[in-house]
Amino acid sequence: NSSIPVDLKELGEIMRDLGHDHIDVLKMDIEGSEYVVLENILDQNIVINQILVEFHDRFFKNGIQKTKNIINKHCFGSNCTWFWWCRVA
């Protein structure tokens, strides 16, 4: 395996750089990194009207629980709706 170092910016920083104060639709398909990235985005309290995430729970021993945990942490009792779709092999 080889790696290439890259510079990263958090979503909030990119939004500030571009002068944006909200996101209408955010779509993520980032092959297992969605848990860390989504946690970071939601902790920043960025206004996002709709988030579409492909959770790659199959990459982790406790993947389904990780998915449930992030949904429950950020959505329970708040004004949001989660739709859950699961592929069955």
Side-chain angles (χ1 to χ4, degrees), residues 28-35 53-64 66-67 87:
M28 294 191 322
D29 180 1
I30 50 178
E31 306 305 316
S33 295
E34 61 274 5
Y35 298 99
V53 182
E54 181 176 344
F55 288 102
H56 293 83
D57 52 68
R58 68 188 180 280
F59 292 175
F60 304 93
K61 183 177 181 179
N62 62 341
I64 292 175
K66 285 173 70 86
T67 301
R87 181 181 351 197

Side-chain angles (χ1 to χ4, degrees), residues 2 6-9 16 18 22 27 47 49 53 55 58 60-61 71 74-77 79:
S2 62
V6 297
D7 293 327
L8 299 175
K9 285 188 174 184
R16 281 188 297 281
L18 298 174
H22 74 282
K27 181 179 183 292
V47 177
N49 294 333
V53 182
F55 288 102
R58 68 188 180 280
F60 304 93
K61 183 177 181 179
I71 291 169
H74 291 283
C75 229
F76 186 73
N79 186 23

